[in-house]
Amino acid sequence: MVDQNEQEFLNSLEKKLWTSANKLLPALDAAQYKHVMLGLIFLKYVSDAFDLRREELAKQIADPQHENYLDPDGMDEAEYQAEIANELEVRDFYLETNTFWVPPVARWQFLRDHNKVVIGGAELEVLVNGKAQKVKVSSVGHLIDNALEAIELDNTKLKGVLNKRYTQLQIDQAKLGELIDLISTIPFTHDSLSSKDILGHVYEYFLGQFALAEGKKGGQFYTPKAIVSLIVQMLEPYKGRVYDPAMGSGGFFVQSEQFIREHQGRIGEISIYGQEYNHTTWQLAAMNMAIRGIEFNFGKEPANTYTNDQHPDLRADFVMANPPFNMKEWDTGVDDNDPRWVYGKPPSGNANFAWLQHMLYHLAPNGSMGLLLANGSMSSNTSGEGEIRKALIDNDLIECMVALPGQLFTNTQIPACIWFLTKNKGARTAASGRALRDRKQQVLFIDARNLGYMKDRVLRDFTAEDLKKICDVYHAWQTGIDYQDQKGFCASARLEDMQKQDYVLTPGRYVGAEEVEEDGEAFAEKMTRLTAQLKTQFEESARLEGEIKKNLAGLGYEF
């Protein structure tokens, strides 16, 4: 968790960048602007990471105690400096620390030095392995596209990931150059935050701002951070395979990494698998992972999860997703007898139970999953959905249901809930190390509709205390340590309880109404006090009525 000093630094930085960038690119809509800004932030990050590794290598080369030491013996100063320059361009030195190799034309300093020169076109000279090469550049957009192309060519894992469309932008090239200068001002020196932390924060902040700006479309690539954090903190993905079949820009993976770091775990102990249909969103997610140094497998290409599953053999330990709510006509090209529909074929008019069963299909025997769905999924009986829900309950797959407050999403006002499922509710040790009790034929219901606060006129958010309250209850219930039902908030129900409710899973049916605490005032005393108040109010009412009649009479009106 960031401390107050770090948060103030980050808040100041994001405000400065967002305000300045908006002034520079007023002609672009949010969908275009998103890729312009995030692509440049990515370039800045990989270049800075490269420069940091370069500085580290320079110190090693000068250190006689280090294995990379370059002995100057037998060379004059000019030869020695030339040899050092060559050593600093050895690609393997960067790859061995998982640092992206950044060719000369893609280094940030090169962009910064030449973004004014190339307006109108210019021929630039760069040194590659000590040899001069000429590069023809027709505009600032061309300068940036060249940089992205060069990085892709030299880093196979980024092939097809970067959005090389700056040349096509219909904007003032000078403004694009100013944007490079603006991003150059991002400070990467802080007492306790690394450059990766700072750039990762800036990237995530801009994703959230663009989601707000794009409204409904923004929700296709961005899930509010508080909801992602809630699911991650409840599932606790310490190690294993983490999968999101509707990953958007990769928010669940980022929060998983942050969770692991905050709990002294090792990010190398998880494997990331994702899938996304939208090509540009798939690119955003890949850049999001690359900025943080997270290894990932997003399949060979962007693809439809139902008709072109990129991970057909995957059995994940943790599955997390925020798929599109109530998606229609999802099953074009999908076999009615698809092996994923174990608990019933989902209706064509609504993909909610298709997403849920797809995730179950890819869940390992001891795995856990959490997904956001519209509230209708908890009670709908149309088109066979009730039968699918009944089958899920009877097969003891549901572990917890969480009802969420409204106005959490930028893109929809549809009320939402979180489903938590597992294939093994028996006693076992979780990846977190928690000793889970036998929870067979039991489901925890949490009604969180009254939690959160309005952070502006239209959007609600959770506080850290809200998240902790929900997570603590869930983990206490799982372990059997200090768990108690709380009227109006949480309740543990058995199979027969759900059968009595006709297999409806709305938490409000199980947690009941919140108990109102008595104020301790005796009934007789309370009635005397309230009667006196009422008498005073009647007297005041009579006085005001007399004043009104008097004023009307003065105007010549009889009442």
Side-chain angles (χ1 to χ4, degrees):
M1 299 291 289
V2 295
D3 61 29
Q4 185 175 351
N5 175 268
E6 293 169 343
Q7 193 60 58
E8 288 175 356
F9 167 81
L10 293 171
N11 290 345
S12 173
L13 176 62
E14 62 192 28
K15 182 179 179 182
K16 170 188 173 183
L17 284 171
W18 184 255
T19 302
S20 301
N22 272 313
K23 289 179 180 177
L24 287 173
L25 297 177
L28 293 183
D29 63 32
Q32 288 179 300
Y33 181 13
K34 175 174 65 193
H35 295 290
V36 172
M37 198 68 188
L38 295 177
L40 285 174
I41 289 173
F42 174 80
L43 263 179
K44 180 74 164 76
Y45 169 72
V46 294
S47 185
D48 277 24
F50 178 87
D51 288 344
L52 287 172
R53 175 58 177 157
R54 190 182 180 91
E55 290 171 13
E56 183 181 43
L57 281 171
K59 290 177 182 176
Q60 293 173 358
I61 287 169
D63 181 4
Q65 304 302 315
H66 200 278
E67 62 180 354
N68 289 333
Y69 173 63
L70 182 63
D71 190 344
D73 190 42
M75 292 183 279
D76 61 31
E77 184 61 22
E79 290 174 324
Y80 183 58
Q81 291 302 321
E83 192 60 32
I84 288 176
N86 286 333
E87 287 289 299
L88 292 175
E89 294 294 320
V90 175
R91 185 191 307 257
D92 288 347
F93 284 145
Y94 298 88
L95 301 183
E96 69 186 12
T97 58
N98 203 28
T99 302
F100 284 109
W101 167 258
V102 182
V105 293
R107 293 172 193 171
W108 193 261
Q109 193 60 48
F110 184 81
L111 270 63
R112 191 175 185 182
D113 290 344
H114 296 98
N115 71 70
K116 305 293 188 296
V117 177
V118 297
I119 295 176
E123 190 170 66
L124 307 178
E125 186 175 281
V126 291
L127 288 175
V128 180
N129 296 327
K131 297 180 180 179
Q133 290 188 3
K134 296 284 187 179
V135 179
K136 289 185 178 180
V137 182
S138 59
S139 64
V140 180
H142 191 195
L143 182 75
I144 298 169
D145 283 344
N146 271 351
L148 294 169
E149 181 73 33
I151 287 177
E152 275 199 359
L153 287 173
D154 276 301
N155 298 276
T156 54
K157 70 172 69 174
L158 293 176
K159 184 178 180 182
V161 164
L162 306 182
N163 201 337
K164 305 176 290 295
R165 297 181 181 176
Y166 288 82
T167 308
Q168 302 169 27
L169 293 172
Q170 301 298 312
I171 60 172
D172 184 349
Q173 291 296 298
K175 292 290 186 184
L176 203 50
E178 287 179 50
L179 195 57
I180 291 174
D181 292 338
L182 169 66
I183 294 173
S184 298
T185 66
I186 300 177
F188 291 102
T189 52
H190 188 273
D191 293 339
S192 53
L193 290 170
S194 68
S195 59
K196 183 188 293 186
D197 289 332
I198 295 168
L199 240 303
H201 179 90
V202 169
Y203 194 92
E204 184 174 5
Y205 170 75
F206 269 81
L207 281 173
Q209 291 299 104
F210 289 128
L212 284 171
E214 289 189 63
K216 187 172 182 179
K217 288 185 178 180
Q220 295 174 2
F221 68 85
Y222 185 78
T223 304
K225 183 179 177 181
I227 300 175
V228 176
S229 296
L230 176 60
I231 293 175
V232 170
Q233 289 176 38
M234 289 178 75
L235 290 182
E236 298 185 309
Y238 276 97
K239 56 186 175 182
R241 293 152 301 207
V242 179
Y243 173 54
D244 183 347
M247 69 183 179
S249 54
F252 282 106
F253 304 136
V254 171
Q255 287 299 314
S256 295
E257 185 227 16
Q258 291 180 2
F259 172 84
I260 290 166
R261 284 199 296 164
E262 288 170 7
H263 293 81
Q264 287 75 52
R266 291 185 290 186
I267 189 65
E269 292 186 341
I270 66 168
S271 304
I272 299 296
Y273 298 85
Q275 180 153 350
E276 172 59 42
Y277 178 71
N278 183 284
H279 184 265
T280 53
T281 305
W282 183 83
Q283 291 175 310
L284 289 179
M287 287 194 293
N288 208 358
M289 299 303 101
I291 277 179
R292 292 169 170 82
I294 302 174
E295 290 292 319
F296 62 91
N297 181 345
F298 292 165
K300 295 180 181 179
E301 59 191 350
N304 183 306
T305 299
Y306 295 119
T307 58
N308 190 4
D309 190 346
Q310 294 290 292
H311 309 286
D313 301 320
L314 174 66
R315 296 298 177 267
D317 302 289
F318 301 96
V319 185
M320 299 177 271
N322 173 24
F325 291 173
N326 304 328
M327 183 175 155
K328 302 181 186 304
E329 299 177 3
W330 58 272
D331 58 344
T332 302
V334 180
D335 192 331
D336 286 354
N337 299 313
D338 192 294
R340 290 172 289 185
W341 316 146
V342 175
Y343 305 100
K345 183 184 179 301
S348 298
N350 196 318
N352 288 341
F353 285 103
W355 286 112
L356 193 152
Q357 291 193 81
H358 172 87
M359 291 169 67
L360 269 175
Y361 180 81
H362 283 289
L363 192 65
N366 286 327
S368 299
M369 60 179 264
L371 79 158
L372 281 151
L373 288 178
N375 273 2
S377 61
M378 298 188 289
S379 58
S380 171
N381 287 315
T382 60
S383 305
E385 288 185 334
E387 288 302 311
I388 297 174
R389 189 172 55 253
K390 179 179 183 296
L392 295 170
I393 295 169
D394 286 340
N395 282 277
D396 208 15
L397 294 163
I398 300 166
E399 180 158 54
C400 178
M401 300 295 300
V402 180
L404 295 172
Q407 295 179 272
L408 286 171
F409 298 90
T410 59
N411 64 316
T412 181
Q413 293 300 312
I414 298 174
C417 59
I418 311 175
W419 291 61
F420 290 93
L421 296 92
T422 182
K423 292 181 177 178
N424 181 5
K425 287 160 76 174
R428 61 184 175 90
T429 301
S432 62
R434 293 184 193 275
L436 306 182
R437 67 180 178 87
D438 188 328
R439 289 111 48 225
K440 291 174 183 173
Q441 296 197 337
Q442 298 174 55
V443 174
L444 176 65
F445 291 91
I446 299 175
D447 190 343
R449 289 177 298 171
N450 293 324
L451 298 184
Y453 68 100
M454 295 303 294
K455 67 178 185 179
D456 56 38
R457 290 187 303 105
V458 295
L459 279 179
R460 181 177 289 273
D461 202 356
F462 283 132
T463 65
E465 290 73 24
D466 293 329
L467 299 181
K468 186 176 187 302
K469 181 178 181 179
I470 298 170
C471 292
D472 284 353
V473 161
Y474 177 60
H475 295 142
W477 177 83
Q478 283 187 310
T479 59
I481 300 172
D482 297 329
Y483 173 78
Q484 286 186 333
D485 287 353
Q486 298 176 39
K487 274 281 190 181
F489 179 61
C490 64
S492 182
R494 302 194 64 83
L495 176 60
E496 53 266 31
D497 299 320
M498 289 172 276
Q499 290 171 337
K500 289 176 184 176
Q501 293 292 341
D502 295 324
Y503 292 93
V504 170
L505 295 176
T506 306
R509 293 201 177 196
Y510 301 89
V511 303
E514 184 178 3
E515 291 181 346
V516 180
E517 291 187 9
E518 291 290 340
D519 55 19
E521 187 176 9
F523 176 78
E525 292 176 1
K526 180 182 285 189
M527 283 303 296
T528 300
R529 177 175 58 81
L530 292 175
T531 302
Q533 286 180 359
L534 187 60
K535 180 181 178 183
T536 301
Q537 289 167 353
F538 281 155
E539 289 172 349
E540 179 64 10
S541 175
R543 186 188 69 79
L544 291 172
E545 184 180 346
E547 288 289 332
I548 292 169
K549 288 179 178 179
K550 182 179 176 181
N551 290 335
L552 287 171
L555 295 171
Y557 294 95
E558 290 296 331
F559 189 80

